[in-house]
Amino acid sequence: MQIDSELLTKLETLSHLRVADDKKEEIMRQLTDILGYVENLNELDTEGLDPFFSMLEGGTPMREDVTHKEENVAREILAHAPMAEEDFFIVPAIIE
Amino acid sequence: MFETVIGLEVHVQLNTKTKLFCSCPTSFAEHQNSNTCPTCLALPGALPVVNKEAAIKAMRFANAIEAQIDEASRFDRKSYFYPDSPSAYQITQFYAPILRDGKVTIDLADGTQKTIRVTEAHLEADAGKNMHEGAVSKVDLNRAGTPLLEIVSAPDMRSADEAVAYLKKLHATVRYLDISDANMQEGSFRCDVNISIRPKGQEAFGTRVEVKNINSFRFVAQAIAYEVQRQTEAYEDGVYEQEVVQETRLFDVNKGVTRSMRGKEEAADYRYFPEPDLRPLIVTEEMKAAARELPELPDQKVARYTSEWKIKRDDALVIVADKNLANYFETLVAEGAAPKQAVTWLTSELTGRLNKLSKSIEESPVEATTLATLIKRIEEGVISGKGGKELLDHMMENNERDVDALIEKLGLEQVSDDGAILAMIDEILADNEDKVAEYKAGKEKLFGFFVGQVMKASKGSANPGKVNQLLKERLS
């Protein structure tokens, strides 16, 4: 699959990332290479296989509905946030 | 002529003690970010573990609406960037929801019933909250990770009234099941409305518009009315294709209009894929057994009230729509009030007084046991209906709750004693000999005059039944 500039623009929008103009050619080539590599998987015959097939067995573990709170954990995470104030995380204004 | 087609997606916050994937408390209105941990803050390496109780509550709902439970439902990631979701995705159930194919029966104004299909309901994690302040937004992630059950209906509703009836039924059902507080103000019961129109007789659906995040029954009705008008006008003006596009709109509660969110939605591409951190949710026998324990549900209550207690269906529907009202009513009857009297005293006398005070039934200053005693005293003839109203008025404003002491204190006791009433009757008949003669000559209308005079003489305390009976005897 070929990644063209239109698809790259869409990927930039979806990932909230911006690729510098002088890097675009290189990134498109690399992404195309990666997809080409992954396409090797198409050689496998998956006809009739459950799409959710997994090598793992059994269900997800579950917990009882019992609260557990460690007071300092949230504070510590807030202290490491790029910006926090009055125990709120602060982010650039979201334009509604 | 056009037909309106409505489908609803309702987000019900499950009232578990802990979040869906971590042990943080779900308590409301706590200090910002105090109910958070590495999992709900999406720190690298922290892994989700499913809350078993949330799954049981969803299964209980499935049983209540006769839906199929998927014994191995799965979780998926819905990718989106927004500061209220620190992981940049929401864990939801896109490919294999926990339940499918349920049904909810609604009662319509004309007395008929209609079944609304529930296509599916899936478990998912709620987002946090953003507060916007000038150049920055403040983020509180206490709600992030709270379990939601998103209940998706088929496009089976044809009017705002049907949509509201469905929502109210769903609301009552989750409240009786005790799987959600369903508090609309606090946002634990909110809904997205899908609305389209089509010319009557046309089979294909029109273009569907989604109005997101409405948190009151009234606003749902308003948003539908507005959309139907907007879409119909566009059709009639020949600009349907341009004006009605598949999009998300928001309802402006102040202006009563919906507004496009276009632009923001254009880039939306959720790129769902199976959640790699979670295996399928395999329900155990123990969970199935727990989910089979259902309380009496609205339809069963209506059936019992009408058959056992001979209450009008319309009255039963009003009472059952609110769990607290139904509890109050059942206490009245359990305490010995006659069901029909209990309906009147609860739905008109008490509710009327509470409405004036802007209070709900659970805030009623008069408890059910007290009101039951009052109703019983009326049935026993101790006080009149009018005396009962006076007594209720008094109790709404005062704290004294000894009904019998109050009847005495307020002088509400009816005179049922034959001797006392006869004495009054004889005095009145003696004072009105001319009218007695007219009555006996055939002017029977005067009977009401005599009753009125006796009641007046007793200052309203005479038992009207007794007065009637004794007067008839004396005048015959």
Side-chain angles (χ1 to χ4, degrees):
Chain A
M1 186 183 181
Q2 186 68 39
I3 302 280
D4 56 16
S5 62
E6 193 188 331
L7 186 51
L8 183 64
T9 308
K10 188 183 181 198
L11 291 174
E12 288 182 62
T13 313
L14 289 174
S15 60
H16 289 217
L17 293 173
R18 204 155 294 150
V19 179
D21 283 344
D22 61 340
K23 293 265 186 193
K24 282 194 169 156
E25 280 302 325
E26 186 190 346
I27 296 276
M28 280 191 280
R29 195 175 59 246
Q30 285 180 354
L31 287 174
T32 305
D33 284 351
I34 292 168
L35 285 177
Y37 176 68
V38 174
E39 263 165 30
N40 286 335
L41 290 171
N42 289 341
E43 286 171 23
L44 274 175
D45 178 13
T46 56
E47 197 58 35
L49 209 61
D50 178 4
F52 297 103
F53 173 80
S54 163
M55 296 297 287
L56 297 171
E57 281 184 5
T60 198
M62 286 182 242
R63 7 173 286 277
E64 298 299 324
D65 190 25
V66 178
T67 59
H68 176 79
K69 205 167 166 176
E70 276 180 65
E71 294 298 336
N72 292 323
V73 173
R75 282 261 154 77
E76 199 151 317
I77 295 170
L78 277 159
H80 286 84
M83 252 208 293
E85 213 174 90
E86 296 164 344
D87 297 331
F88 283 107
F89 292 100
I90 304 292
V91 298
I94 309 156
I95 296 120
E96 290 284 311
Chain B
M1 276 303 282
F2 294 95
E3 182 175 51
T4 307
V5 176
I6 302 163
L8 293 167
E9 289 163 28
V10 180
H11 288 88
V12 172
Q13 210 174 74
L14 297 176
N15 58 354
T16 51
K17 294 186 192 71
T18 67
K19 294 185 178 180
L20 185 53
F21 297 118
C22 63
S23 302
C24 288
T26 50
S27 43
F28 185 74
E30 296 283 349
H31 184 76
Q32 52 270 23
N33 291 309
S34 61
N35 287 354
T36 59
C37 75
T39 302
C40 54
L41 293 177
L43 259 57
L47 288 170
V49 185
V50 173
N51 180 344
K52 185 165 76 181
E53 190 61 25
I56 292 172
K57 285 183 189 266
M59 291 161 65
R60 200 166 278 152
F61 177 72
N63 288 332
I65 63 161
E66 297 170 49
Q68 302 300 317
I69 295 170
D70 187 334
E71 297 196 5
S73 65
R74 291 167 199 277
F75 291 96
D76 306 288
R77 285 190 185 178
K78 175 182 181 178
S79 317
Y80 77 99
F81 280 111
Y82 208 61
D84 61 9
S85 171
S87 53
Y89 57 81
Q90 178 189 33
I91 303 183
T92 179
Q93 296 190 301
F94 187 69
Y95 295 107
I98 189 157
L99 72 91
R100 285 185 203 272
D101 301 330
K103 53 180 201 270
V104 171
T105 304
I106 56 171
D107 283 89
L108 302 174
D110 63 3
T112 59
Q113 289 190 320
K114 180 171 177 176
T115 298
I116 308 297
R117 291 169 297 159
V118 171
T119 321
E120 63 163 74
H122 49 261
L123 283 166
E124 62 183 28
D126 205 349
K129 284 179 182 168
N130 301 317
M131 277 143 282
H132 310 297
E133 265 184 26
V136 298
S137 290
K138 296 158 126 186
V139 184
D140 174 9
L141 296 169
N142 278 347
R143 201 181 62 183
T146 298
L148 295 177
L149 188 65
E150 180 174 341
I151 303 162
V152 184
S153 85
D156 284 351
M157 287 149 281
R158 294 291 173 266
S159 67
D161 286 345
E162 288 185 15
V164 170
Y166 167 79
L167 281 175
K168 286 188 170 170
K169 187 63 175 289
L170 213 53
H171 186 263
T173 303
V174 299
R175 293 264 297 134
Y176 281 104
L177 286 172
D178 192 25
I179 63 171
S180 173
D181 301 330
N183 184 321
M184 298 182 98
Q185 280 79 42
E186 290 176 6
S188 55
F189 187 94
R190 43 191 205 264
C191 88
D192 303 341
V193 189
N194 290 299
I195 313 158
S196 64
I197 59 161
R198 62 181 171 190
K200 272 233 164 88
Q202 176 185 308
E203 201 157 323
F205 290 125
T207 305
R208 168 172 64 94
V209 168
E210 182 177 25
V211 185
K212 266 205 179 306
N213 252 329
I214 315 182
N215 69 345
S216 100
F217 298 136
R218 193 161 52 93
F219 294 153
V220 167
Q222 286 176 9
I224 292 171
Y226 179 82
E227 267 307 307
V228 169
Q229 194 192 348
R230 185 180 76 86
Q231 296 180 20
T232 307
E233 282 175 6
Y235 202 102
E236 287 168 346
D237 296 347
V239 290
Y240 184 76
E241 309 270 299
Q242 296 93 299
E243 298 278 318
V244 183
V245 292
Q246 190 166 336
E247 62 173 350
T248 302
R249 296 175 74 91
L250 285 181
F251 181 64
D252 181 333
V253 297
N254 298 314
K255 301 216 167 94
V257 301
T258 67
R259 264 189 242 292
S260 177
M261 286 176 75
R262 229 176 310 184
K264 197 178 167 180
E265 281 292 298
E266 240 148 23
D269 178 351
Y270 295 131
R271 290 156 289 153
Y272 288 97
F273 67 94
E275 166 59 64
D277 288 342
L278 290 164
R279 297 282 306 143
L281 194 171
I282 295 176
V283 302
T284 61
E285 288 305 319
E286 173 214 353
M287 290 165 75
K288 281 191 234 174
R292 273 194 292 268
E293 283 169 25
L294 298 179
E296 190 182 33
L297 292 166
D299 289 343
Q300 296 162 319
K301 276 194 192 288
V302 169
R304 182 161 63 90
Y305 291 2
T306 50
S307 68
E308 245 175 68
W309 292 341
K310 310 291 177 217
I311 286 169
K312 277 194 236 142
R313 186 172 166 81
D314 283 349
D315 288 332
L317 287 170
V318 167
I319 293 171
V320 166
D322 179 345
K323 183 183 173 185
N324 293 319
L325 206 58
N327 285 344
Y328 196 105
F329 176 69
E330 291 184 16
T331 309
L332 286 179
V333 177
E335 292 288 324
K340 279 181 192 167
Q341 292 299 314
V343 170
T344 312
W345 281 88
L346 175 59
T347 60
S348 63
E349 298 302 334
L350 181 63
T351 307
R353 284 166 174 78
L354 289 172
N355 286 346
K356 277 188 199 137
L357 301 171
S358 300
K359 283 191 177 191
S360 58
I361 188 72
E362 59 271 32
E363 296 164 329
S364 171
V366 178
E367 305 232 351
T369 48
T370 309
L371 185 59
T373 310
L374 182 154
I375 297 169
K376 277 189 286 182
R377 292 300 174 266
I378 296 169
E379 284 161 18
E380 291 157 4
V382 176
I383 52 172
S384 64
K386 188 167 154 282
K389 289 178 194 176
E390 203 178 320
L391 176 54
L392 182 57
D393 281 332
H394 180 84
M395 289 195 292
M396 293 300 285
E397 283 161 19
N398 296 281
N399 291 325
E400 218 176 320
R401 288 294 174 267
D402 183 335
V403 170
D404 294 319
L406 280 171
I407 288 171
E408 206 183 319
K409 184 177 155 188
L410 300 174
L412 296 174
E413 192 156 353
Q414 292 192 113
V415 179
S416 297
D417 165 35
D418 287 12
I421 294 174
L422 276 175
M424 283 186 276
I425 286 174
D426 289 340
E427 202 181 321
I428 292 205
L429 297 184
D431 288 349
N432 296 281
E433 278 175 1
D434 48 338
K435 290 205 169 63
V436 174
E438 281 177 51
Y439 177 83
K440 288 190 169 161
K443 203 169 173 190
E444 291 187 9
K445 264 199 298 186
L446 280 168
F447 189 77
F449 163 79
F450 295 125
V451 173
Q453 289 298 306
V454 178
M455 291 308 291
K456 200 171 148 194
S458 77
K459 296 190 182 70
S461 70
N463 181 333
K466 272 271 180 224
V467 171
N468 267 292
Q469 178 207 332
L470 294 172
L471 250 178
K472 268 202 187 111
E473 285 171 20
R474 270 294 195 265
L475 287 169
S476 61

